[in-house]
Amino acid sequence: MTRLLDIRNASRRFGGVLAVNDVTAHVDEGELVGLIGPNGAGKTTLFNLISGFTPLSSGTVAFGGRPLAGLTTNQVARLGMSRTFQNLRVFPNMTVFDNVSVGAVGALPQGALGALFGGLSESGRQRSADISRRTWEALEAVGLTQVAGELAANLPYGQRKYLEIARALAMKPRFLILDEPAAGLNDTETRDLAAFIKRLHGQGLTVMLVEHDMTLVMGICQRILVLASGRKIADGTPDAIRNDPAVLEAYLGVDA
Amino acid sequence: MNVSDLTAPGQTPSGLTAPDRRRGWILPALVALAVFVALPAALAAFDRGYFYQIANLALIFVLLSASMHLVTGVAGLLHLGHAAFYGVGAYTAALMTSKLGLGFTVTLPASGLVAAAVAFLVALPTMRLVSIYFAVATLAIGQMLYLVMLNWVEFTKGPNGVIVTKGFELFGFGLSGRIAAYYTVAVVVTLCVVAIGRLSHSYYGNALRSIREDDQCADAMGVRTVRLKMEAFTLSAFFAGVAGALWAHMTGYISPGDFKFSESILILAMVVVGGLGSLPGAVIGALLLILLPEGLRGLGDFRNVMVGLVMFLSILLLPKGLLGEVSALGLVRRQFGAAWRRTAGGEGIGWR
């Protein structure tokens, strides 16, 4: 297996707070990895370090063998890493189709000249057609083709979650990071989502999910990373994590 | 994966109607007929210079409003200094004519390019600013450019303004008659509005919209946000500069007062009244806010109160504008058959 994401001694300091403290971890190609931890453990910060949202204070992050230091968020995204957000960030005043097309046009940029004169050349028409096809495929993967013309703001909450995932999929990423995908979903919806994530993984996509919902993570992930107070305290299979004394202490506060 | 596997044939996603290719050309054809046949015929029948002036002015403001639509409506950057770039274009045309003796064929593209170059330079430091801070920066830039026009007397002739010695021409052929001037303005404005339409009704336009909606999120989707914001700002300045050249050659005299802050606000009002993010709305807004005060001339100074009232009521009753973005995009998609292919579920949704 090839190493897709390689985090070495990553730290991030916010003023006096070490939000992420000397974390070393990795994700291999084709894995489905969970990242869990109590509130304030540094999950989202680590996530932001990986996706280039926040610069590292020290350490390195490499994606596909390439160090990410100095790259902007959109450059990291175009390397093939796409994400969703903890607090649902769809583009409310755009249609479902247009929302998803942003992921496609992000990965396959169309410039101003392409927009102006693309219709006149074969390659320009091909670019638009590719963006359109990717958008449809992503919409189809999440089952939102029937509402493609609706405004994103008018979708129910559960569908907006899938819309966000479709937008990330339209980039045809190598690595998909889902930030708390089950937040706000009921049990049935969470089960459906778990099955959907498993299906994506089954199609060969490497996935990492940051999650509070333990049943979701334990149920589908092959390997789980546990953060507490900015440090990595465990890394192993769901079974190993379930019985790890350090994890039990971090979550329940019991002396093991 | 294949779209047609999932969507049953003949089913159309809700909220959409399949485009009819033949019917799709009716609206553009009617607009072209009005601009290039009906209106010039009416102008020629009345044959009053004043009517020509109003028609040209309205067209120039249609271009200004459309160019602001690109940066403020689509890319979501609140621009409070747009009139200054209009002024840069007008001064470029006027000074190239009076000092270098160049004609409209050269000054038209030059005005657009100079305005775009100035916009690019001022955009470099300001593009990382967001929301209201960006708006204040553009306000300051507009005021700076206005003060340069007003106070750099040896170059711009200051408050005295510049007399533009040449009217419209094309490669040396004079286009100075009233009807020829009207056609010149109409052709240039139409070409520019079509270009702005291509920019805003495309996947490029979608990327710009995503920056308006949530720029951090757009960034995470691989959209080059800073670069695209600069492009939108620079392109809109280019079109404003072209409008400036039209104005300079049309009136034959320009002065800094034509490009002050209140003009920027007037253009902004056109875009907002018409519908933020809607190109047809920007055109309608410009026509309304130019033609209404002229139509109400009989009321004397009271007409300004009436114009204010119309603006107030339209914002109160139609906060999304006379023709809001959602309906405008739907209209454009239907009329121009923007779907790139006829799939079972996707007719009229994608851009070509």
mmCIF file of all heavy atoms in Angstrom, chain A residues 15 43 60-61 78 109 134 150 187-188 190 196 201 234 245:
data_model
loop_
_atom_site.group_PDB
_atom_site.id
_atom_site.type_symbol
_atom_site.label_atom_id
_atom_site.label_comp_id
_atom_site.label_asym_id
_atom_site.label_seq_id
_atom_site.Cartn_x
_atom_site.Cartn_y
_atom_site.Cartn_z
ATOM 1 N N GLY A 15 -1.533 31.224 20.167
ATOM 2 C CA GLY A 15 -1.134 31.962 21.371
ATOM 3 C C GLY A 15 -0.478 30.994 22.340
ATOM 4 O O GLY A 15 0.511 30.346 22.013
ATOM 5 N N LYS A 43 -9.175 17.934 16.868
ATOM 6 C CA LYS A 43 -9.518 17.219 15.628
ATOM 7 C C LYS A 43 -9.646 18.176 14.449
ATOM 8 O O LYS A 43 -9.034 17.977 13.397
ATOM 9 C CB LYS A 43 -10.869 16.487 15.775
ATOM 10 C CG LYS A 43 -10.912 15.451 16.866
ATOM 11 C CD LYS A 43 -12.220 14.678 16.836
ATOM 12 C CE LYS A 43 -13.446 15.539 17.117
ATOM 13 N NZ LYS A 43 -13.578 15.985 18.505
ATOM 14 N N THR A 60 5.727 18.481 9.593
ATOM 15 C CA THR A 60 5.465 18.449 8.158
ATOM 16 C C THR A 60 4.204 17.639 7.868
ATOM 17 O O THR A 60 3.843 16.748 8.621
ATOM 18 C CB THR A 60 6.608 17.791 7.367
ATOM 19 O OG1 THR A 60 6.775 16.455 7.863
ATOM 20 C CG2 THR A 60 7.909 18.544 7.499
ATOM 21 N N VAL A 61 3.554 17.992 6.779
ATOM 22 C CA VAL A 61 2.459 17.185 6.257
ATOM 23 C C VAL A 61 2.761 16.957 4.781
ATOM 24 O O VAL A 61 3.077 17.906 4.061
ATOM 25 C CB VAL A 61 1.095 17.892 6.399
ATOM 26 C CG1 VAL A 61 0.003 17.055 5.736
ATOM 27 C CG2 VAL A 61 0.741 18.134 7.860
ATOM 28 N N ARG A 78 -6.489 21.035 -5.277
ATOM 29 C CA ARG A 78 -6.282 20.568 -6.647
ATOM 30 C C ARG A 78 -5.318 19.393 -6.731
ATOM 31 O O ARG A 78 -5.252 18.715 -7.751
ATOM 32 C CB ARG A 78 -5.829 21.720 -7.547
ATOM 33 C CG ARG A 78 -6.976 22.660 -7.914
ATOM 34 C CD ARG A 78 -6.661 23.497 -9.136
ATOM 35 N NE ARG A 78 -5.440 24.245 -8.971
ATOM 36 C CZ ARG A 78 -5.342 25.397 -8.317
ATOM 37 N NH1 ARG A 78 -6.409 25.942 -7.799
ATOM 38 N NH2 ARG A 78 -4.203 26.014 -8.206
ATOM 39 N N PRO A 109 -10.206 23.854 -13.980
ATOM 40 C CA PRO A 109 -10.502 25.281 -14.060
ATOM 41 C C PRO A 109 -10.913 25.728 -15.459
ATOM 42 O O PRO A 109 -10.396 25.245 -16.464
ATOM 43 C CB PRO A 109 -9.185 25.949 -13.663
ATOM 44 C CG PRO A 109 -8.412 24.905 -12.940
ATOM 45 C CD PRO A 109 -8.832 23.599 -13.543
ATOM 46 N N ARG A 134 -18.934 15.572 -14.911
ATOM 47 C CA ARG A 134 -18.517 15.313 -13.532
ATOM 48 C C ARG A 134 -19.590 15.731 -12.547
ATOM 49 O O ARG A 134 -19.840 15.054 -11.546
ATOM 50 C CB ARG A 134 -17.274 16.136 -13.214
ATOM 51 C CG ARG A 134 -16.027 15.463 -13.575
ATOM 52 C CD ARG A 134 -14.885 16.181 -12.911
ATOM 53 N NE ARG A 134 -13.657 15.549 -13.318
ATOM 54 C CZ ARG A 134 -12.514 15.715 -12.676
ATOM 55 N NH1 ARG A 134 -12.457 16.494 -11.623
ATOM 56 N NH2 ARG A 134 -11.437 15.118 -13.093
ATOM 57 N N GLU A 150 -33.053 22.953 -8.114
ATOM 58 C CA GLU A 150 -33.544 23.661 -6.924
ATOM 59 C C GLU A 150 -32.434 24.514 -6.317
ATOM 60 O O GLU A 150 -31.254 24.181 -6.415
ATOM 61 C CB GLU A 150 -33.990 22.645 -5.859
ATOM 62 C CG GLU A 150 -35.149 21.771 -6.257
ATOM 63 C CD GLU A 150 -36.481 22.498 -6.127
ATOM 64 O OE1 GLU A 150 -36.536 23.557 -5.467
ATOM 65 O OE2 GLU A 150 -37.458 21.999 -6.709
ATOM 66 N N ASP A 187 -30.926 8.588 13.737
ATOM 67 C CA ASP A 187 -30.301 7.263 13.649
ATOM 68 C C ASP A 187 -30.410 6.635 12.261
ATOM 69 O O ASP A 187 -29.436 6.104 11.727
ATOM 70 C CB ASP A 187 -30.933 6.324 14.688
ATOM 71 C CG ASP A 187 -30.417 6.650 16.076
ATOM 72 O OD1 ASP A 187 -29.491 7.483 16.161
ATOM 73 O OD2 ASP A 187 -30.934 6.097 17.055
ATOM 74 N N THR A 188 -31.606 6.713 11.676
ATOM 75 C CA THR A 188 -31.797 6.123 10.347
ATOM 76 C C THR A 188 -30.912 6.816 9.337
ATOM 77 O O THR A 188 -30.233 6.157 8.523
ATOM 78 C CB THR A 188 -33.264 6.293 9.889
ATOM 79 O OG1 THR A 188 -34.100 6.325 11.024
ATOM 80 C CG2 THR A 188 -33.666 5.220 8.920
ATOM 81 N N THR A 190 -28.191 8.441 9.875
ATOM 82 C CA THR A 190 -26.790 8.114 10.144
ATOM 83 C C THR A 190 -26.439 6.740 9.560
ATOM 84 O O THR A 190 -25.381 6.573 8.976
ATOM 85 C CB THR A 190 -26.519 8.133 11.660
ATOM 86 O OG1 THR A 190 -26.901 9.406 12.167
ATOM 87 C CG2 THR A 190 -25.061 7.894 11.955
ATOM 88 N N PHE A 196 -23.480 4.684 2.799
ATOM 89 C CA PHE A 196 -23.011 5.467 1.655
ATOM 90 C C PHE A 196 -21.489 5.648 1.699
ATOM 91 O O PHE A 196 -20.807 5.482 0.679
ATOM 92 C CB PHE A 196 -23.720 6.828 1.650
ATOM 93 C CG PHE A 196 -23.249 7.739 0.568
ATOM 94 C CD1 PHE A 196 -23.570 7.473 -0.755
ATOM 95 C CD2 PHE A 196 -22.464 8.852 0.851
ATOM 96 C CE1 PHE A 196 -23.118 8.295 -1.765
ATOM 97 C CE2 PHE A 196 -22.021 9.675 -0.157
ATOM 98 C CZ PHE A 196 -22.351 9.390 -1.464
ATOM 99 N N HIS A 201 -16.001 4.154 -0.243
ATOM 100 C CA HIS A 201 -14.723 3.510 0.074
ATOM 101 C C HIS A 201 -14.546 2.248 -0.771
ATOM 102 O O HIS A 201 -13.471 1.986 -1.300
ATOM 103 C CB HIS A 201 -14.686 3.189 1.562
ATOM 104 C CG HIS A 201 -13.460 2.430 1.964
ATOM 105 N ND1 HIS A 201 -13.522 1.187 2.540
ATOM 106 C CD2 HIS A 201 -12.148 2.740 1.836
ATOM 107 C CE1 HIS A 201 -12.289 0.754 2.755
ATOM 108 N NE2 HIS A 201 -11.432 1.677 2.348
ATOM 109 N N ALA A 234 -3.964 7.201 20.673
ATOM 110 C CA ALA A 234 -4.133 5.816 20.232
ATOM 111 C C ALA A 234 -4.288 5.774 18.725
ATOM 112 O O ALA A 234 -4.666 6.763 18.098
ATOM 113 C CB ALA A 234 -5.350 5.185 20.899
ATOM 114 N N PRO A 245 -6.947 1.559 27.328
ATOM 115 C CA PRO A 245 -7.136 2.280 28.594
ATOM 116 C C PRO A 245 -7.004 3.799 28.448
ATOM 117 O O PRO A 245 -7.770 4.552 29.061
ATOM 118 C CB PRO A 245 -6.033 1.723 29.505
ATOM 119 C CG PRO A 245 -5.178 0.845 28.663
ATOM 120 C CD PRO A 245 -5.871 0.565 27.382
#
